[in-house]
Amino acid sequence: MTQPIVHITNLNLKYHHKPVLQELNWTIKRHENWLLRGISGSGKTSLAKAIAGLVKFQGDIEINFDTERNLAPTVHYVANWYQFKDLEGQSNFYYQQRYNKQATETTATVRAELESYGKKHQLQFSEAEQLLAALGFSDLIDSTLIQLSSGEHKKLQLVSALWLKPQLLIIDQPYNGLDKLSRHHLNLLFEEITAAGTTLILISNDKLFPPCVHRFGEISGGQLIEISANEHTLEFDEQESKPIPDFLKEAPVSSADSVIRMIDVNVSYGEKQVLKNINWEVKAGEKWLLQGPNGSGKSTLLSLITGDHPQAYANNLYLFGHQRGSGESIWDIKKRIGLISPELHWYFDPLATVKHSIISGFFDSSGLFREADYTKKTQAAELIDYFGLTEYQDTLLNQLPLGKQRLAFLARTIIKNPELLILDEPCQGLDQQQTQYFNKLVDELCKNGTTLIYVGHFETQLPACIEKRILLENGEVKSAGKILEPVLK
């Protein structure tokens, strides 16, 4: 009888001293491909890391590789996001650094990163080039790692994993940050690698999954329960809504009728033009969806609005009624904006507690470096309760499951009841319950006149209040205006 590739017996695992998995048993036979789901904090990532040998546990995990297969006899785990270092081995980046020319000169390119990886694992670079082309990533091969968006970082992770051809491949949140076409091409690549013999485990609450996946499990109460494909696509029980804090019921103070006005805006890096003749106006109270394929220029466009991109001064750009470069500081701009993005999360202070991370939203800082007054602390406490984070408020942010980290960032984003909300992939890492809960809050805030720019690739992760859409392609505006038809992803 053929040995299973994975056999887990009585697995017990704690996450920062808290029991997460208890007496868990699981057998994965060869040629089985699984999709695991579960609410945030249920232990999905911990289980994946245990199988990959990355965390300590009690119990037994038996991995049986097939020595006759022409596949790498290894377990390869792809994390939620890509953590990289500069050429000096440092990883203490800050958010605005990705737009700093000096920083790009000290960070490896995609090509160099892949060449190093290929040399380490004795792989043919031509195979990596085929994967880059399949995921629409070839044009960015000479970009530096710090310049990449969240979706582009995910593609780099996926290229490396698929290039390695491991016997067991575990991917945490495979579709995070990917546009519709990239998700389709990724599923085709999953079909190819599993047909060649790789066993695949995907960790995802998304309803999307490749045809090669035919086994489904849910982590609940520390146990793995096998479910059907139909059960996987069912919604989690809706989280009971609480009344939003009173301070968020007040209409934000509007400083101008036109919040954003761009006239023939262009951004280039050397010979590469990232934004081309952008004309766009966002009026106070409007709710916009910003969309476009990976690499279309969305992150760069947002960085001009938030004041983080130095080329804002070289363009005809008006924010809150003032032309950039006419005397207002970056802090004058930021005090009117609530921002969340995957990149801001990556580069945040790792030593900040949940409470301090949320309060830092008042000061637009990456961590809390000054004392907050009584009112600010009270508002933070209200949001901590609203998002169900009371028991974690004094815990370091990076010690929480990803979903709860994101909730803390969402609280940070709205704490000053800003005039403009910029929500860039805000629901990455959230389970369905948390996504629905947060989007209801966004809808409530927008009833009070908050201006919104929302970036999202998944229709199921959008708030109902969105009324307009701007679509970018290759750095140009393909369309902009009211949404008259179903939103395409």
Side-chain angles (χ1 to χ4, degrees), residues 70-82:
N70 190 28
L71 295 170
T74 187
V75 179
H76 187 78
Y77 169 69
V78 177
N80 281 299
W81 63 54
Y82 190 62

PDB file of all heavy atoms in Angstrom, residues 70-82:
ATOM      1  N   ASN A  70      10.739  12.837 -10.135  1.00  0.00           N
ATOM      2  CA  ASN A  70      11.637  13.905 -10.561  1.00  0.00           C
ATOM      3  C   ASN A  70      11.128  15.250 -10.043  1.00  0.00           C
ATOM      4  O   ASN A  70      10.959  16.215 -10.793  1.00  0.00           O
ATOM      5  CB  ASN A  70      11.741  13.929 -12.087  1.00  0.00           C
ATOM      6  CG  ASN A  70      12.843  14.872 -12.560  1.00  0.00           C
ATOM      7  OD1 ASN A  70      13.816  15.095 -11.842  1.00  0.00           O
ATOM      8  ND2 ASN A  70      12.684  15.417 -13.749  1.00  0.00           N
ATOM      9  N   LEU A  71      10.851  15.288  -8.744  1.00  0.00           N
ATOM     10  CA  LEU A  71      10.373  16.485  -8.074  1.00  0.00           C
ATOM     11  C   LEU A  71      11.194  16.685  -6.810  1.00  0.00           C
ATOM     12  O   LEU A  71      11.642  15.711  -6.187  1.00  0.00           O
ATOM     13  CB  LEU A  71       8.895  16.366  -7.704  1.00  0.00           C
ATOM     14  CG  LEU A  71       7.878  16.260  -8.844  1.00  0.00           C
ATOM     15  CD1 LEU A  71       6.502  15.902  -8.287  1.00  0.00           C
ATOM     16  CD2 LEU A  71       7.793  17.571  -9.625  1.00  0.00           C
ATOM     17  N   ALA A  72      11.385  17.945  -6.422  1.00  0.00           N
ATOM     18  CA  ALA A  72      12.203  18.237  -5.237  1.00  0.00           C
ATOM     19  C   ALA A  72      11.594  17.590  -4.000  1.00  0.00           C
ATOM     20  O   ALA A  72      10.425  17.836  -3.677  1.00  0.00           O
ATOM     21  CB  ALA A  72      12.312  19.745  -5.042  1.00  0.00           C
ATOM     22  N   PRO A  73      12.348  16.754  -3.280  1.00  0.00           N
ATOM     23  CA  PRO A  73      11.825  16.087  -2.077  1.00  0.00           C
ATOM     24  C   PRO A  73      11.797  17.055  -0.898  1.00  0.00           C
ATOM     25  O   PRO A  73      12.602  16.962   0.036  1.00  0.00           O
ATOM     26  CB  PRO A  73      12.813  14.942  -1.857  1.00  0.00           C
ATOM     27  CG  PRO A  73      14.096  15.455  -2.428  1.00  0.00           C
ATOM     28  CD  PRO A  73      13.731  16.341  -3.582  1.00  0.00           C
ATOM     29  N   THR A  74      10.855  17.973  -0.953  1.00  0.00           N
ATOM     30  CA  THR A  74      10.787  19.019   0.076  1.00  0.00           C
ATOM     31  C   THR A  74       9.359  19.516   0.231  1.00  0.00           C
ATOM     32  O   THR A  74       8.516  19.334  -0.659  1.00  0.00           O
ATOM     33  CB  THR A  74      11.713  20.200  -0.301  1.00  0.00           C
ATOM     34  OG1 THR A  74      11.770  21.125   0.764  1.00  0.00           O
ATOM     35  CG2 THR A  74      11.212  20.918  -1.544  1.00  0.00           C
ATOM     36  N   VAL A  75       9.105  20.127   1.395  1.00  0.00           N
ATOM     37  CA  VAL A  75       7.849  20.849   1.633  1.00  0.00           C
ATOM     38  C   VAL A  75       8.167  22.328   1.455  1.00  0.00           C
ATOM     39  O   VAL A  75       9.047  22.865   2.132  1.00  0.00           O
ATOM     40  CB  VAL A  75       7.320  20.601   3.060  1.00  0.00           C
ATOM     41  CG1 VAL A  75       6.021  21.390   3.274  1.00  0.00           C
ATOM     42  CG2 VAL A  75       7.101  19.120   3.314  1.00  0.00           C
ATOM     43  N   HIS A  76       7.487  22.983   0.547  1.00  0.00           N
ATOM     44  CA  HIS A  76       7.720  24.405   0.309  1.00  0.00           C
ATOM     45  C   HIS A  76       6.496  25.191   0.747  1.00  0.00           C
ATOM     46  O   HIS A  76       5.388  24.967   0.256  1.00  0.00           O
ATOM     47  CB  HIS A  76       8.009  24.675  -1.171  1.00  0.00           C
ATOM     48  CG  HIS A  76       8.419  26.093  -1.443  1.00  0.00           C
ATOM     49  ND1 HIS A  76       9.689  26.559  -1.180  1.00  0.00           N
ATOM     50  CD2 HIS A  76       7.719  27.151  -1.944  1.00  0.00           C
ATOM     51  CE1 HIS A  76       9.762  27.841  -1.504  1.00  0.00           C
ATOM     52  NE2 HIS A  76       8.572  28.220  -1.976  1.00  0.00           N
ATOM     53  N   TYR A  77       6.707  26.110   1.692  1.00  0.00           N
ATOM     54  CA  TYR A  77       5.611  26.924   2.225  1.00  0.00           C
ATOM     55  C   TYR A  77       5.717  28.350   1.701  1.00  0.00           C
ATOM     56  O   TYR A  77       6.783  28.980   1.809  1.00  0.00           O
ATOM     57  CB  TYR A  77       5.654  26.925   3.756  1.00  0.00           C
ATOM     58  CG  TYR A  77       4.738  27.946   4.396  1.00  0.00           C
ATOM     59  CD1 TYR A  77       3.353  27.807   4.333  1.00  0.00           C
ATOM     60  CD2 TYR A  77       5.259  29.062   5.051  1.00  0.00           C
ATOM     61  CE1 TYR A  77       2.513  28.750   4.922  1.00  0.00           C
ATOM     62  CE2 TYR A  77       4.431  30.000   5.646  1.00  0.00           C
ATOM     63  CZ  TYR A  77       3.056  29.843   5.570  1.00  0.00           C
ATOM     64  OH  TYR A  77       2.235  30.777   6.136  1.00  0.00           O
ATOM     65  N   VAL A  78       4.639  28.872   1.128  1.00  0.00           N
ATOM     66  CA  VAL A  78       4.574  30.247   0.647  1.00  0.00           C
ATOM     67  C   VAL A  78       3.751  31.052   1.642  1.00  0.00           C
ATOM     68  O   VAL A  78       2.552  30.804   1.817  1.00  0.00           O
ATOM     69  CB  VAL A  78       3.945  30.325  -0.754  1.00  0.00           C
ATOM     70  CG1 VAL A  78       3.825  31.780  -1.212  1.00  0.00           C
ATOM     71  CG2 VAL A  78       4.780  29.520  -1.761  1.00  0.00           C
ATOM     72  N   ALA A  79       4.378  32.021   2.293  1.00  0.00           N
ATOM     73  CA  ALA A  79       3.724  32.811   3.337  1.00  0.00           C
ATOM     74  C   ALA A  79       2.765  33.842   2.749  1.00  0.00           C
ATOM     75  O   ALA A  79       2.691  34.035   1.539  1.00  0.00           O
ATOM     76  CB  ALA A  79       4.777  33.500   4.194  1.00  0.00           C
ATOM     77  N   ASN A  80       2.025  34.520   3.643  1.00  0.00           N
ATOM     78  CA  ASN A  80       1.064  35.538   3.228  1.00  0.00           C
ATOM     79  C   ASN A  80       1.696  36.611   2.371  1.00  0.00           C
ATOM     80  O   ASN A  80       1.109  37.082   1.411  1.00  0.00           O
ATOM     81  CB  ASN A  80       0.438  36.203   4.461  1.00  0.00           C
ATOM     82  CG  ASN A  80      -0.650  35.365   5.073  1.00  0.00           C
ATOM     83  OD1 ASN A  80      -1.645  35.080   4.443  1.00  0.00           O
ATOM     84  ND2 ASN A  80      -0.439  34.935   6.310  1.00  0.00           N
ATOM     85  N   TRP A  81       2.887  37.071   2.776  1.00  0.00           N
ATOM     86  CA  TRP A  81       3.562  38.084   1.977  1.00  0.00           C
ATOM     87  C   TRP A  81       5.056  37.810   1.965  1.00  0.00           C
ATOM     88  O   TRP A  81       5.587  37.025   2.736  1.00  0.00           O
ATOM     89  CB  TRP A  81       3.257  39.495   2.454  1.00  0.00           C
ATOM     90  CG  TRP A  81       3.701  39.870   3.837  1.00  0.00           C
ATOM     91  CD1 TRP A  81       4.958  39.773   4.371  1.00  0.00           C
ATOM     92  CD2 TRP A  81       2.877  40.432   4.868  1.00  0.00           C
ATOM     93  NE1 TRP A  81       4.971  40.247   5.647  1.00  0.00           N
ATOM     94  CE2 TRP A  81       3.715  40.667   5.980  1.00  0.00           C
ATOM     95  CE3 TRP A  81       1.534  40.799   4.936  1.00  0.00           C
ATOM     96  CZ2 TRP A  81       3.243  41.219   7.158  1.00  0.00           C
ATOM     97  CZ3 TRP A  81       1.075  41.351   6.113  1.00  0.00           C
ATOM     98  CH2 TRP A  81       1.922  41.553   7.202  1.00  0.00           C
ATOM     99  N   TYR A  82       5.731  38.491   1.052  1.00  0.00           N
ATOM    100  CA  TYR A  82       7.145  38.247   0.788  1.00  0.00           C
ATOM    101  C   TYR A  82       7.996  39.165   1.658  1.00  0.00           C
ATOM    102  O   TYR A  82       7.850  40.385   1.621  1.00  0.00           O
ATOM    103  CB  TYR A  82       7.434  38.517  -0.691  1.00  0.00           C
ATOM    104  CG  TYR A  82       8.802  38.083  -1.143  1.00  0.00           C
ATOM    105  CD1 TYR A  82       9.176  36.745  -1.082  1.00  0.00           C
ATOM    106  CD2 TYR A  82       9.711  39.001  -1.651  1.00  0.00           C
ATOM    107  CE1 TYR A  82      10.415  36.338  -1.520  1.00  0.00           C
ATOM    108  CE2 TYR A  82      10.955  38.601  -2.096  1.00  0.00           C
ATOM    109  CZ  TYR A  82      11.306  37.273  -2.023  1.00  0.00           C
ATOM    110  OH  TYR A  82      12.544  36.864  -2.454  1.00  0.00           O
TER     111      TYR A  82
END
